[in-house]
C-alpha cells in the first residue's frame, strides 16, 4: 500500500484538495482510504463520506493531533492494509506550526493557502520545510502577483519540493495532485521508521494539565523570556 | 561568505527566512552551519544535517532565476486534440504563438478550466481529456511541469482581489524584487503609470491596493502581469464589467508578446481574437477563425458600446436621456 501524510494549517484546504485528488483517482479505479486527525471535533468525516470515500477519524482531545497521530501511525497502516486500499492518506491538522506528521520514506504533502499572507511560509516549520509536495490553494481569489510572490516565498524555504496550485472548489489541479499521490513509495511497515523532525518537547506541567499560574507550579521543560532593560515611563 | 554575499546579496534571504543570523563575513558556509547552536536549531525546527545542501540548492535557485530572465523563450505552443467527455475525438491541432489572441466560448462546465489545466500541466495524454501539449513543436522537458518560475499560464479573473496590506507602490516593488529584476523602482513606476492609463480614474502610488476600485485593481493586475509575470500565456476570465479600457488592456498584453486566452462572451473582446475555441461537453467542438465580415461587425459593436458609454456618462452627470 502507498502511504501519504497531508498536513497544513487549519482551514488551508487539506480536506478540499484531498477530496478532489481522490475523486480523480476513483475514476481510475484506485482504492483510497483516509484517516483524519483533529483535536476536538471535525466535520471532515462527513465531507469525505459524502464523496463516497472510506474514512475514519482520530480525535486527540488534549494532545497535539500530530503527537497523537505518531502514537497511532502503525495502527493506521494496519487498518488500511486490512481494508485493502491501494493508497492511504493521513490528514492531520497542523495546529502549532511546529509539529509535522511527516515520516522519512513516506510521501509528505503540505497544504497552505494564498490568503494566509506572503510571510506565512517563513513561519511554518518542518511541516512545510520538509515536505515533498507543497499544495497551494485559494489562488482563485488573490491576484496573479500575490500567487507568484507566495510561490516564490515557499520556494525560498523549501528548495526541493514540488509546488502545485490546486483549487479546492473547482478541483483544478486535483487530477495532477492525484498523480503525485500515486507516485508515493510503497509502505509495508512503519515500525522503526523515523519522523522527519522531532516534535517539540511537550513536557512542562501545563502539558500535564496544570492550570495554576506561578513559578511554584512550573516544572519540567520551562523556558523563560528575556525582557529588554529600560527606563520607566515618566507620566 | 563575504564574497558570496557581495556577488549575490539575495543569498542572505536564505538565513533570514529560516530565522538564522547572517553568517560573519570571514566564515565559510560549512563552518557557519557547524557553529550553530543545537538548541537554536531545535527551536527553529531545523536540522543541521542538510542545511548546507539546502543552502547551495537555494543559491542554485537564485542563479536559475537570474538566468531565466534571458532564456525560456517560447515560440509556439501546440495542443494536440484529445476527446470530450463522451470519448468523441477532438479533430484539431492548435498552434498558438506569442502576440496572438484566442477567445474561449461555451457554457460553464463545458471544459474550459480543464483545457487550461492541460496546458499548465503540459498534458502528455495523461489527463482526462487525452490531450498533449508541445512547446516549440517538441515534447517539453518533464521538469517544466513543476517549475514555478516557468509556469505557462498567468490568470486574471473577475473574482481575484488584492489581499495584502500594502500600497500600490510597495506591492509592485515586492513582486519585482521576487523576480530579481534589475531596476525594481523603475519597473514599479512604469507599471503604475500603465495601470493609470488603463483605469478610468487615476490612483496614486501610495493608495493601498485593497482600497483600489474594481477597475483600478483590474488595471493594476493587467499592467503588473504584462510587465512582471514570466508566464507566456495570460488567461483573462470575464473582465467585461471592470470599468477599464478593455481593448487597450488586451493590446497591452499582446504588445508584451503574451499569448492571450480570453474566456468571454463580450462580442467586442471575443471578436478581437484571431480564433475562437468553442467548448462543448468537456471538449473543443470547433475552432472558428474570425471572418472578415465578423471583423467588420466589430466596428459596429464598438460604435454601439461607445454610445452606451456616453449614456452612462450622461447619467452619472445627472443629465436627461431623451435624445440618443
Ligand atoms: N476560494 C477557495 N476556497 C477554498 C479553496 N480550497 C478550500 N477552500 C475553502 O476553504 C475552507 C477550508 O477548507 P478545508 O478543506 O475544510 O480545510 P482543512 O485544511 O481541511 O481544514 P481543517 O481540517 O478544519 O483544518 C472551505 O470552506 C473550503 O471550501 C480554494 O482553492 N479556493
Ligand atoms: Zn503540535
Ligand atoms: Zn507544555
Amino acid at each position: 500500500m502507498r502511504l501519504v501524510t497531508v498536513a497544513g494549517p487549519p482551514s488551508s484546504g487539506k480536506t478540499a484538495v484531498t477530496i478532489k485528488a481522490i475523486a480523480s483517482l476513483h475514476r481510475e479505479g484506485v482504492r483510497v482510504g483516509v484517516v483524519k486527525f483533529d483535536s476536538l471535533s471535525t466535520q471532515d468525516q462527513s465531507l469525505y463520506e459524502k464523496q463516497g470515500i472510506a474514512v475514519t477519524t482520530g480525535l486527540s482531545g488534549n494532545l497535539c493531533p500530530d503527537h497523537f497521530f505518531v502514537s497511532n501511525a502503525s495502527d493506521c497502516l494496519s487498518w488500511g492494509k486490512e481494508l485493502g486500499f491501494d493508497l492511504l492518506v493521513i490528514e492531520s491538522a497542523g495546529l502549532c506550526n511546529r509539529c509535522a506528521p511527516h515520516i522519512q520514506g513516506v510521501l509528505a504533502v503540505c497544504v497552505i493557502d494564498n490568503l494566509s499572507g506572503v510571510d506565512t511560509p517563513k513561519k511554518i516549520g518542518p511541516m512545510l520545510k520538509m515536505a515533498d509536495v507543497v499544495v497551494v490553494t485559494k489562488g482563485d481569489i488573490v491576484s496573479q502577483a500575490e500567487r507568484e510572490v507566495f510561490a516564490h516565498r515557499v520556494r525560498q524555504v523549501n528548495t526541493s519540493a514540488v509546488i502545485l496550485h490546486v483549487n479546492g472548489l473547482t478541483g483544478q489541479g486535483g487530477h495532477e495532485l492525484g498523480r503525485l499521490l500515486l507516485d508515493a513509495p510503497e509502505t509495508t511497515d512503519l515500525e522503526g521508521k523515523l519522523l522527519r523532525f522531532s516534535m517539540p518537547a511537550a513536557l512542562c506541567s501545563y502539558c500535564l494539565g496544570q492550570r495554576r499560574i506561578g513559578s511554584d507550579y512550573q516544572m519540567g521543560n520551562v523556558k523563560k523570556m528575556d525582557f529588554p532593560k529600560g527606563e520607566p515611563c515618566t507620566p | 561568505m563575504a564574497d558570496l554575499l557581495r556577488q549575490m546579496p539575495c543569498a542572505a534571504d536564505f538565513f533570514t527566512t529560516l530565522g538564522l543570523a547572517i553568517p560573519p563575513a570571514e566564515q565559510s558556509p560549512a563552518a557557519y552551519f557547524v557553529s550553530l547552536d543545537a538548541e537554536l536549531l531545535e527551536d527553529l525546527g531545523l536540522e543541521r544535517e542538510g542545511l548546507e545542501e539546502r543552502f547551495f540548492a537555494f543559491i542554485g535557485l537564485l542563479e536559475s532565476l537570474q538566468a531565466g530572465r534571458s532564456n525560456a523563450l517560447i515560440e509556439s505552443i501546440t495542443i494536440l486534440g484529445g476527446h470530450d467527455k463522451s470519448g468523441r475525438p477532438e479533430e484539431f491541432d492548435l498552434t498558438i504563438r506569442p502576440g496572438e489572441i484566442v477567445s474561449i466560448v461555451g457554457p460553464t462546465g463545458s471544459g474550459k478550466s480543464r483545457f487550461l489545466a492541460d496546458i499548465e500541466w503540459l498534458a502528455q495524454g495523461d489527463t482526462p481529456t487525452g490531450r498533449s501539449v508541445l512547446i516549440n513543436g517538441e515534447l517539453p522537458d518533464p521538469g517544466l511541469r513543476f517549475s514555478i518560475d516557468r509556469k505557462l499560464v498567468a490568470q486574471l479573473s473577475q473574482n481575484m482581489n488584492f489581499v495584502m496590506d500594502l500600497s500600490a507602490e510597495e506591492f509592485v516593488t515586492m513582486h519585482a524584487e521576487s523576480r530579481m529584476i534589475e531596476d525594481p523602482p523603475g519597473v514599479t513606476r512604469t507599471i503604475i503609470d500603465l495601470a493609470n492609463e488603463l483605469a478610468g480614474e487615476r490612483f496614486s502610488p501610495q493608495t493601498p491596493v485593497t482600497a483600489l476600485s474594481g477597475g483600478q485593481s483590474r488595471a493594476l493586475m493587467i499592467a503588473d502581469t504584462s510587465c512582471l509575470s514570466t508566464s507566456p500565456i495570460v488567461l483573462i476570465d470575464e473582465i467585461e464589467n471592470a470599468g477599464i479600457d478593455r481593448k487597450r488592456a488586451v493590446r497591452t498584453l499582446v504588445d508584451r508578446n503574451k499569448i492571450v486566452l480570453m474566456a468571454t462572451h463580450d462580442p467586442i473582446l471575443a471578436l478581437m481574437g484571431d480564433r475562437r475555441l468553442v467548448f462543448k461537453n468537456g471538449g473543443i467542438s470547433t475552432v472558428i477563425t474570425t471572418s472578415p465580415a465578423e471583423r467588420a461587425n466589430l466596428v459596429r459593436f464598438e460604435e454601439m458600446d461607445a454610445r452606451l458609454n456616453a449614456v452612462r456618462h450622461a447619467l452619472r452627470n445627472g443629465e436627461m436621456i431623451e435624445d440618443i
Side-chain angles (χ1 to χ4, degrees), chain B residues 205-222:
Chain B
Q206 280 73 46
T207 314
V209 284
T210 48
L212 297 174
S213 72
Q216 289 168 334
S217 300
R218 224 52 63 202
L220 183 57
M221 284 182 196
I222 288 175

Side-chain angles (χ1 to χ4, degrees), chain B residues 135-146:
Chain B
I135 294 191
N136 301 338
E138 288 171 20
L139 284 179
D141 163 14
L144 206 55
R145 269 194 174 168
F146 304 118

